[in-house]
Amino acid sequence: MSSETQQIDDSRDEIRERHREARDELLADSYDHYIGGEWVESASDETFETHDPTTGEVLAEAQAGNSDDIDRAVEAAWDAYESEWADTDGTKRQRLLTEIADRIEENRGEIARIETLDNGKPIREARADVALVADQFRYFAGAVRTHGGETVPSGSGKSIQTLREPYGVIGAVVPWNFPLLIASWKLAPALAAGNCVVLKPAEQTPLSILRVMEEIDDVLPDGVVNVVTGYGEEAGAPLTGHSDVRKVSFTGSTAVGKEVMKAAAENVADVTLELGGKSPVVVFPDADVQQAVRVMMLAMFYNTGECCTAGTRLFVHEEIYEEFMDAFVESAERLQMGDPLSKDTRLGPKVSEEQVERTLSCVEQAREDGARIVTGGGQPENEALADGCFVVPTVIDDIDHDSKPVQEEIFGPVEEVFAWSDYDEMIERANDVDYGLAAGIITNDLSKANRAARDIEAGNIWVNQYNDFPAGQPFGGFKQSGIGREQAEETLDHYSQTKTINMNL
């Protein structure tokens, strides 16, 4: 591990005390499921603890849901849909979604701090996430009024029209890396399209969505949104395989996504899947090196590398390879690592010890495969961070592209760098993974950018920037990175079904 990696000058006791004070101010000791507009305990009476990844201390207890709780939540959702929500017109849904956005913005500071406590992401990133959450609800509040069918040209004496109708009840499962933001990617379009929702947050990070449900309890009719906390096998699987769930929306690993798809297939339920990624970023020889470094710092180290879109395979043209690597490694080693509640922190902890072990095992595998660890590769030496799930920024080169750490998602602050000279060979390697979620291109020549963007197999391509997610921009992947698109007007089609009416006049 490089000794040059910079760390915020806090003591262990200072960090612990800061987090304890925030916990006592922001959180309850325990949280229940939110089902049918009420806070209820699990049918099993079992709970689990959610931990602060910065200090390792317990933040709160949450209910350990099971199939009985999922049954209750699905029934409550159908009751709400059939008794009220199905008859709620677009104008009212628009007002309610706008009110949710207002409530989130009014409490954005508090919600962001909860997200940081529960997930470990730096507070500056958590604030940005919460702003995007509010914007998702505002965007789909507007899209409600534009979502309609069409008239189909037909012969004389006939009238053919299509309608877009909701599924009824949606099952949504969200991951731990962007707990509230990805929840909004599912809740906002599902509600806008007229559905009710049962949502299962990740067991590592349930607290921010529960806080939002407290805030909007009086906004939505009872049962329109239900939240069941718990583990994947006990709560997630019963939800994605529930016979009364007409549509499943899942974000997570490709391996689990395949199981979700199988479970939904048993009920012929529709699916939206946003899964893994191993995204390439291509740096052309004409690129400004400093700009390329700035883009790559965001592409790789945002959210501590716990991004499905993270640009983890970096292809730098050999003409500027050495110059780029010197600047990139220097920037990585200057990243401020420390307490994520501090505004100066740029790199916080990973979400759990399990994820630390997973990341470090991938680095060790790369080392065994003969790769060179240019910087990083371990945990910080700073005693103040010893309680947390920290991994220092890591840069690897001289690694075979066929090796396991290159082909599989690491989900940590680990960059793998390759030099290239021949364009066609580079594109072949860029596409030589099972995933196709995102990619980046850095060049001053837009014709080169356009060519590469068309040649790379990915659902999202950023040029001279990265990780930009404005509402209205479709997001989703190719190949084993998923099915469907989120964040955009077309997402409403994924949360509704077409009815055709053919009339003989």
Side-chain angles (χ1 to χ4, degrees):
M1 185 197 74
S2 170
S3 60
E4 298 178 22
T5 300
Q6 297 187 14
Q7 292 143 25
I8 304 296
D9 188 20
D10 272 328
S11 72
R12 179 186 291 188
D13 289 341
E14 286 175 328
I15 294 174
R16 282 179 177 173
E17 184 59 29
R18 188 180 299 132
H19 281 244
R20 287 170 182 167
E21 290 177 356
R23 177 194 63 196
D24 293 343
E25 175 190 350
L26 299 169
L27 300 173
D29 291 334
S30 62
Y31 289 86
D32 292 341
H33 300 312
Y34 184 73
I35 298 176
E38 297 181 356
W39 296 96
V40 298
E41 295 181 353
S42 176
S44 67
D45 293 326
E46 294 183 1
T47 61
F48 64 94
E49 295 176 338
T50 178
H51 292 82
D52 185 333
T54 305
T55 67
E57 295 186 343
V58 174
L59 291 171
E61 286 189 344
Q63 299 298 312
N66 59 23
S67 59
D68 291 336
D69 300 307
I70 294 297
D71 286 343
R72 284 193 292 169
V74 172
E75 182 179 359
W78 274 113
D79 286 345
Y81 180 77
E82 292 171 348
S83 66
E84 182 172 0
W85 195 244
D87 295 325
T88 301
D89 63 30
T91 303
K92 185 173 182 180
R93 294 200 305 273
Q94 182 181 48
R95 289 200 302 268
L96 294 176
L97 289 171
T98 301
E99 178 63 21
I100 292 172
D102 290 343
R103 297 286 184 92
I104 290 170
E105 285 183 341
E106 289 166 5
N107 295 275
R108 60 187 179 275
E110 177 182 338
I111 295 170
R113 291 170 70 202
I114 291 173
E115 191 90 322
T116 291
L117 286 176
D118 210 17
N119 169 273
K121 66 178 63 197
I123 187 64
R124 60 190 286 124
E125 295 181 9
R127 288 170 179 155
D129 285 359
V130 175
L132 290 172
V133 170
D135 196 41
Q136 281 293 307
F137 283 99
R138 290 204 188 284
Y139 175 82
F140 283 103
V144 167
R145 305 284 284 273
T146 67
H147 190 232
E150 60 182 13
T151 299
V152 180
S154 60
S156 61
K158 299 285 183 71
S159 172
I160 302 175
Q161 60 178 309
T162 64
L163 306 177
R164 299 298 305 184
E165 295 189 351
Y167 282 100
V169 172
I170 304 294
V173 179
V174 299
W176 45 259
N177 58 332
F178 292 90
L180 188 58
L181 180 57
I182 294 179
S184 74
W185 288 6
K186 303 182 186 306
L187 289 174
L191 297 176
N195 300 283
C196 294
V197 182
V198 178
L199 183 137
K200 208 290 284 185
E203 63 269 20
Q204 297 91 341
T205 54
L207 300 181
S208 56
I209 185 61
L210 293 173
R211 174 64 187 91
V212 168
M213 296 315 301
E214 289 177 341
E215 184 59 38
I216 67 171
D217 174 62
D218 62 335
V219 176
L220 294 171
D222 293 347
V224 171
V225 175
N226 307 270
V227 179
V228 177
T229 55
Y231 296 98
E233 291 185 2
E234 288 79 15
L239 176 58
T240 58
H242 201 287
S243 59
D244 289 330
V245 169
R246 302 278 178 81
K247 158 88 183 190
V248 175
S249 183
F250 171 83
T251 299
S253 71
T254 296
V256 177
K258 291 177 180 179
E259 295 303 313
V260 168
M261 195 171 185
K262 291 176 184 177
E266 288 295 319
N267 302 307
V268 198
D270 192 12
V271 293
T272 290
L273 303 175
E274 195 272 282
L275 308 176
K278 194 70 183 181
S279 302
V281 180
V282 178
V283 182
F284 280 84
D286 67 329
D288 178 271
V289 169
Q290 291 304 317
Q291 181 194 14
V293 168
R294 288 192 295 271
V295 171
M296 281 311 306
M297 295 302 290
L298 179 63
M300 183 61 255
F301 299 117
Y302 190 81
N303 205 50
T304 319
E306 294 176 331
C307 296
C308 50
T309 58
T312 53
R313 294 181 300 130
L314 175 57
F315 297 89
V316 182
H317 195 275
E318 62 182 14
E319 289 182 14
I320 60 170
Y321 187 85
E322 290 187 10
E323 180 185 1
F324 173 88
M325 283 293 283
D326 288 343
F328 181 58
V329 170
E330 181 184 357
S331 292
E333 292 177 344
R334 285 204 314 266
L335 269 178
Q336 293 284 352
M337 175 181 288
D339 179 4
L341 285 177
S342 169
K343 62 180 177 60
D344 295 323
T345 294
R346 296 296 185 271
L347 198 76
K350 292 178 63 62
V351 75
S352 67
E353 285 292 345
E354 178 186 4
Q355 289 299 316
V356 171
E357 293 172 5
R358 183 175 183 272
T359 296
L360 294 182
S361 69
C362 291
V363 174
E364 182 59 31
Q365 180 65 57
R367 185 180 283 112
E368 292 175 1
D369 289 347
R372 181 172 71 115
I373 312 301
V374 182
T375 189
Q379 295 187 267
E381 298 172 352
N382 189 342
E383 184 68 19
L385 306 182
D387 294 329
C389 303
F390 291 89
V391 173
V392 297
T394 300
V395 180
I396 299 173
D397 70 358
D398 292 337
I399 185 169
D400 191 323
H401 194 270
D402 291 330
S403 69
K404 185 176 179 180
V406 176
Q407 291 293 313
E408 296 186 1
E409 197 170 33
I410 296 176
F411 229 61
V414 180
E415 182 68 271
E416 296 153 331
V417 191
F418 305 88
W420 68 276
S421 58
D422 183 84
Y423 175 84
D424 291 332
E425 291 179 0
M426 177 272 294
I427 290 294
E428 183 177 357
R429 279 203 297 177
N431 291 332
D432 187 24
V433 291
D434 291 334
Y435 305 104
L437 185 57
I441 300 164
I442 305 174
T443 177
N444 287 324
D445 187 333
L446 291 183
S447 64
K448 293 178 181 177
N450 183 64
R451 179 188 179 191
R454 293 177 180 274
D455 288 341
I456 293 174
E457 297 170 351
N460 306 266
I461 311 285
W462 286 288
V463 177
N464 296 328
Q465 59 178 338
Y466 211 86
N467 279 333
D468 184 44
F469 291 99
Q473 171 182 288
F475 178 72
F478 288 6
K479 299 191 286 190
Q480 292 192 32
S481 286
I483 298 171
R485 293 295 180 267
E486 297 187 295
Q487 291 203 101
E489 186 174 3
E490 70 184 81
T491 308
L492 290 174
D493 289 341
H494 298 313
Y495 285 92
S496 60
Q497 49 197 340
T498 301
K499 174 180 286 183
T500 300
I501 303 174
N502 186 323
M503 301 180 65
N504 186 338
L505 302 180

